[in-house]
Amino acid sequence: MSEARRVAVLGATGSIGGSTLNVISRHPERFGAAVLTAGRRAAALDRLAMRWNPDYVVLSEVPESTAGQGWQGDWRYGTEAIALAAADPTIPIVMNALVGFAGLESTLAALAAGKQLALANKESLVVGGELVLAAAARGGGDLIPVDSEHSAILQCLGGRHTSDVHRVILTASGGPFREWPASRFSTIRPEDALAHPTWSMGDKITVDSATLANKALEVIEAHLLFGLEFDRIDVVVHPASIVHSLVEFNDGSTVSQLGHPTMEVPIQYALSAPEHLPNEFRSFDPVDAGPLEFERLRREDFPMFELGVEAGRSGGTAPGVYNAANEVAVRAFLEERLDFPGIPALVERVLSSMPAAPVESLEHLVEIDAEARSRAHDRVGTPLATRGDSTP
Ligand code: NDP
Ligand code: MG
């Protein structure tokens, strides 16, 4: 049997990072965790390092003290060290489970170095757009989506050419406010938005699911991954999150991928594709799963959706501006400096103040991101003190 393939897990202390390590632990003959990274939660990374004993770990922020660190291996620090890990020549597979724009450099580095990139960090693809696709083409890297909807579309396509496709239909759970009247949206508190009905995820994507910004990011992600025009990408609400997406071919024949809502299936597929490895997940029972219900998206009540799709259509720097303003807005909402309807209001203001321009380089995108954040901060103030545990 061939040796286990080594995986760099970027964002190992997060929701997707943890699920990735679960998948790896179930297939020790196939995969190994070679590098683990985190943001500032040193103690959580230390615990994982004790369990996995990787080649090295990376923390993006240097902790005030390293006293109490249990793992005596190779600790590296800084955001640059994370991008270097993504390009490490000894590692064939990179899982990018970082959150937000912070993941862009690692996505570019992994693809330019020809890696198999399991991409959970959709923001990097959405913001980087053509730059990311060009890095994959240049470096020979293989970009495999972790998002359940895009994993579904990849499987539904089964290698068929997209010229056979009439349209794809992304499913959306609708989030916790699917049935709330818009008149109550100003009363929404962070804990309401964090109570997602079907998926347990990190805070940022959970809020994005509540505003439907996540679905807009996913429309742009589908456009870039599958080379489909925006008019050929639809969204339908499917509260049970069993049907992960659908592909309608030119003759009306429609194929979908189904499964219980667990991210471990798309994560495992992103590591093993095109193979479907055996697993111990609960077998799919159609009787248990049904009935399958679908609804139209309430576009007018969730403006983050249209704003995001419009930014995608404009292209260039617009998705980067949308994303940066959204990251600031989500943080401000979670810190109760902005109410729920304030999220789209803030993003719309920042977008309308920064017209879309062609993307010149990564440095250009970094500037645009900083400018959009600064304009957003001017309106809602800067974030509160850092969260999490900084000492191990
Ligand atoms: P979490 O917040 O749970 O985890 C984020 C991870 O990234 C943590 O390890 C965190 O470290 C690290 N991190 C955060 N900010 C930085 C930074 N600036 N520099 C370096 N490391 C950082 O997020 P999720 O796992 O929920 O989401 C990860 C990505 O996957 C997102 O792009 C999300 O949209 C996408 N995704 C997630 C799904 C899910 O089910 N969770 C489903 C589909 C996509 P620390 O612990 O130290 O803060
Ligand atoms: Mg998704």
Side-chain angles (χ1 to χ4, degrees), residues 1-22:
M1 184 178 291
S2 59
E3 247 179 75
R5 299 184 74 208
R6 291 151 48 78
V7 183
V9 185
L10 314 183
T13 50
S15 162
I16 293 286
S19 299
T20 302
L21 291 171
N22 288 344

mmCIF file of all heavy atoms in Angstrom, residues 1-22:
data_model
loop_
_atom_site.group_PDB
_atom_site.id
_atom_site.type_symbol
_atom_site.label_atom_id
_atom_site.label_comp_id
_atom_site.label_asym_id
_atom_site.label_seq_id
_atom_site.Cartn_x
_atom_site.Cartn_y
_atom_site.Cartn_z
ATOM 1 N N MET A 1 0.846 -1.205 0.000
ATOM 2 C CA MET A 1 0.000 0.000 0.000
ATOM 3 C C MET A 1 0.880 1.254 0.000
ATOM 4 O O MET A 1 1.934 1.285 0.646
ATOM 5 C CB MET A 1 -0.891 -0.016 1.249
ATOM 6 C CG MET A 1 -1.859 1.148 1.284
ATOM 7 S SD MET A 1 -2.923 1.092 2.722
ATOM 8 C CE MET A 1 -3.932 -0.340 2.346
ATOM 9 N N SER A 2 0.431 2.264 -0.746
ATOM 10 C CA SER A 2 1.241 3.484 -0.809
ATOM 11 C C SER A 2 1.189 4.200 0.535
ATOM 12 O O SER A 2 0.284 3.973 1.351
ATOM 13 C CB SER A 2 0.725 4.384 -1.927
ATOM 14 O OG SER A 2 -0.614 4.694 -1.670
ATOM 15 N N GLU A 3 2.155 5.104 0.719
ATOM 16 C CA GLU A 3 2.229 5.841 1.977
ATOM 17 C C GLU A 3 1.056 6.806 2.150
ATOM 18 O O GLU A 3 0.494 7.265 1.156
ATOM 19 C CB GLU A 3 3.495 6.692 1.933
ATOM 20 C CG GLU A 3 4.546 6.269 2.921
ATOM 21 C CD GLU A 3 5.756 7.162 2.766
ATOM 22 O OE1 GLU A 3 5.675 8.322 3.214
ATOM 23 O OE2 GLU A 3 6.744 6.697 2.174
ATOM 24 N N ALA A 4 0.739 7.118 3.410
ATOM 25 C CA ALA A 4 -0.328 8.098 3.661
ATOM 26 C C ALA A 4 0.078 9.445 3.071
ATOM 27 O O ALA A 4 1.246 9.828 3.132
ATOM 28 C CB ALA A 4 -0.541 8.230 5.169
ATOM 29 N N ARG A 5 -0.878 10.161 2.482
ATOM 30 C CA ARG A 5 -0.577 11.481 1.899
ATOM 31 C C ARG A 5 -0.649 12.535 2.983
ATOM 32 O O ARG A 5 -1.608 12.585 3.760
ATOM 33 C CB ARG A 5 -1.541 11.779 0.747
ATOM 34 C CG ARG A 5 -1.422 10.748 -0.363
ATOM 35 C CD ARG A 5 -2.299 11.112 -1.529
ATOM 36 N NE ARG A 5 -1.733 12.236 -2.286
ATOM 37 C CZ ARG A 5 -2.458 13.101 -2.984
ATOM 38 N NH1 ARG A 5 -3.762 12.984 -3.004
ATOM 39 N NH2 ARG A 5 -1.879 14.075 -3.658
ATOM 40 N N ARG A 6 0.362 13.382 3.006
ATOM 41 C CA ARG A 6 0.498 14.359 4.082
ATOM 42 C C ARG A 6 -0.350 15.606 3.796
ATOM 43 O O ARG A 6 -0.345 16.137 2.695
ATOM 44 C CB ARG A 6 1.971 14.724 4.245
ATOM 45 C CG ARG A 6 2.779 13.547 4.805
ATOM 46 C CD ARG A 6 4.230 13.555 4.360
ATOM 47 N NE ARG A 6 4.880 14.841 4.507
ATOM 48 C CZ ARG A 6 5.334 15.342 5.662
ATOM 49 N NH1 ARG A 6 5.196 14.644 6.779
ATOM 50 N NH2 ARG A 6 5.927 16.511 5.713
ATOM 51 N N VAL A 7 -1.050 16.054 4.818
ATOM 52 C CA VAL A 7 -1.976 17.185 4.656
ATOM 53 C C VAL A 7 -1.537 18.335 5.576
ATOM 54 O O VAL A 7 -1.233 18.111 6.752
ATOM 55 C CB VAL A 7 -3.421 16.779 5.028
ATOM 56 C CG1 VAL A 7 -4.400 17.933 4.786
ATOM 57 C CG2 VAL A 7 -3.855 15.531 4.268
ATOM 58 N N ALA A 8 -1.511 19.555 5.034
ATOM 59 C CA ALA A 8 -1.359 20.753 5.869
ATOM 60 C C ALA A 8 -2.767 21.253 6.175
ATOM 61 O O ALA A 8 -3.523 21.571 5.247
ATOM 62 C CB ALA A 8 -0.565 21.828 5.140
ATOM 63 N N VAL A 9 -3.119 21.307 7.442
ATOM 64 C CA VAL A 9 -4.462 21.763 7.820
ATOM 65 C C VAL A 9 -4.362 23.210 8.320
ATOM 66 O O VAL A 9 -3.943 23.464 9.456
ATOM 67 C CB VAL A 9 -5.094 20.849 8.898
ATOM 68 C CG1 VAL A 9 -6.532 21.288 9.185
ATOM 69 C CG2 VAL A 9 -5.049 19.389 8.466
ATOM 70 N N LEU A 10 -4.727 24.148 7.452
ATOM 71 C CA LEU A 10 -4.680 25.572 7.816
ATOM 72 C C LEU A 10 -6.008 25.931 8.475
ATOM 73 O O LEU A 10 -7.068 25.738 7.880
ATOM 74 C CB LEU A 10 -4.462 26.440 6.575
ATOM 75 C CG LEU A 10 -3.377 25.997 5.580
ATOM 76 C CD1 LEU A 10 -3.245 27.030 4.453
ATOM 77 C CD2 LEU A 10 -2.039 25.777 6.261
ATOM 78 N N GLY A 11 -5.928 26.440 9.702
ATOM 79 C CA GLY A 11 -7.160 26.703 10.451
ATOM 80 C C GLY A 11 -7.606 25.454 11.206
ATOM 81 O O GLY A 11 -8.800 25.164 11.310
ATOM 82 N N ALA A 12 -6.621 24.722 11.738
ATOM 83 C CA ALA A 12 -6.892 23.410 12.348
ATOM 84 C C ALA A 12 -7.761 23.511 13.600
ATOM 85 O O ALA A 12 -8.457 22.552 13.949
ATOM 86 C CB ALA A 12 -5.571 22.715 12.695
ATOM 87 N N THR A 13 -7.749 24.659 14.280
ATOM 88 C CA THR A 13 -8.514 24.788 15.524
ATOM 89 C C THR A 13 -9.973 25.181 15.279
ATOM 90 O O THR A 13 -10.741 25.326 16.224
ATOM 91 C CB THR A 13 -7.875 25.855 16.435
ATOM 92 O OG1 THR A 13 -7.662 27.043 15.655
ATOM 93 C CG2 THR A 13 -6.540 25.387 16.987
ATOM 94 N N GLY A 14 -10.352 25.351 14.023
ATOM 95 C CA GLY A 14 -11.713 25.781 13.719
ATOM 96 C C GLY A 14 -12.650 24.623 13.456
ATOM 97 O O GLY A 14 -12.305 23.443 13.640
ATOM 98 N N SER A 15 -13.857 24.975 13.004
ATOM 99 C CA SER A 15 -14.898 23.981 12.755
ATOM 100 C C SER A 15 -14.510 23.034 11.604
ATOM 101 O O SER A 15 -14.534 21.808 11.755
ATOM 102 C CB SER A 15 -16.194 24.744 12.457
ATOM 103 O OG SER A 15 -17.126 23.935 11.818
ATOM 104 N N ILE A 16 -14.138 23.596 10.457
ATOM 105 C CA ILE A 16 -13.737 22.751 9.326
ATOM 106 C C ILE A 16 -12.406 22.055 9.630
ATOM 107 O O ILE A 16 -12.221 20.874 9.299
ATOM 108 C CB ILE A 16 -13.609 23.599 8.033
ATOM 109 C CG1 ILE A 16 -14.987 24.115 7.604
ATOM 110 C CG2 ILE A 16 -12.950 22.812 6.911
ATOM 111 C CD1 ILE A 16 -15.904 23.089 6.992
ATOM 112 N N GLY A 17 -11.487 22.774 10.289
ATOM 113 C CA GLY A 17 -10.200 22.170 10.650
ATOM 114 C C GLY A 17 -10.411 20.936 11.520
ATOM 115 O O GLY A 17 -9.821 19.870 11.286
ATOM 116 N N GLY A 18 -11.286 21.049 12.511
ATOM 117 C CA GLY A 18 -11.561 19.924 13.414
ATOM 118 C C GLY A 18 -12.200 18.756 12.675
ATOM 119 O O GLY A 18 -11.834 17.591 12.881
ATOM 120 N N SER A 19 -13.137 19.071 11.787
ATOM 121 C CA SER A 19 -13.778 17.995 11.013
ATOM 122 C C SER A 19 -12.770 17.339 10.068
ATOM 123 O O SER A 19 -12.833 16.137 9.811
ATOM 124 C CB SER A 19 -14.949 18.544 10.200
ATOM 125 O OG SER A 19 -15.915 19.080 11.063
ATOM 126 N N THR A 20 -11.835 18.133 9.551
ATOM 127 C CA THR A 20 -10.797 17.571 8.676
ATOM 128 C C THR A 20 -9.940 16.583 9.474
ATOM 129 O O THR A 20 -9.620 15.487 8.980
ATOM 130 C CB THR A 20 -9.900 18.704 8.126
ATOM 131 O OG1 THR A 20 -10.732 19.621 7.420
ATOM 132 C CG2 THR A 20 -8.829 18.161 7.198
ATOM 133 N N LEU A 21 -9.589 16.950 10.696
ATOM 134 C CA LEU A 21 -8.778 16.043 11.521
ATOM 135 C C LEU A 21 -9.573 14.775 11.868
ATOM 136 O O LEU A 21 -9.000 13.688 11.925
ATOM 137 C CB LEU A 21 -8.271 16.769 12.771
ATOM 138 C CG LEU A 21 -7.225 17.864 12.463
ATOM 139 C CD1 LEU A 21 -6.918 18.704 13.691
ATOM 140 C CD2 LEU A 21 -5.929 17.249 11.906
ATOM 141 N N ASN A 22 -10.881 14.899 12.036
ATOM 142 C CA ASN A 22 -11.704 13.696 12.254
ATOM 143 C C ASN A 22 -11.611 12.767 11.051
ATOM 144 O O ASN A 22 -11.502 11.547 11.196
ATOM 145 C CB ASN A 22 -13.184 14.053 12.445
ATOM 146 C CG ASN A 22 -13.439 14.703 13.777
ATOM 147 O OD1 ASN A 22 -12.612 14.637 14.682
ATOM 148 N ND2 ASN A 22 -14.586 15.365 13.905
#
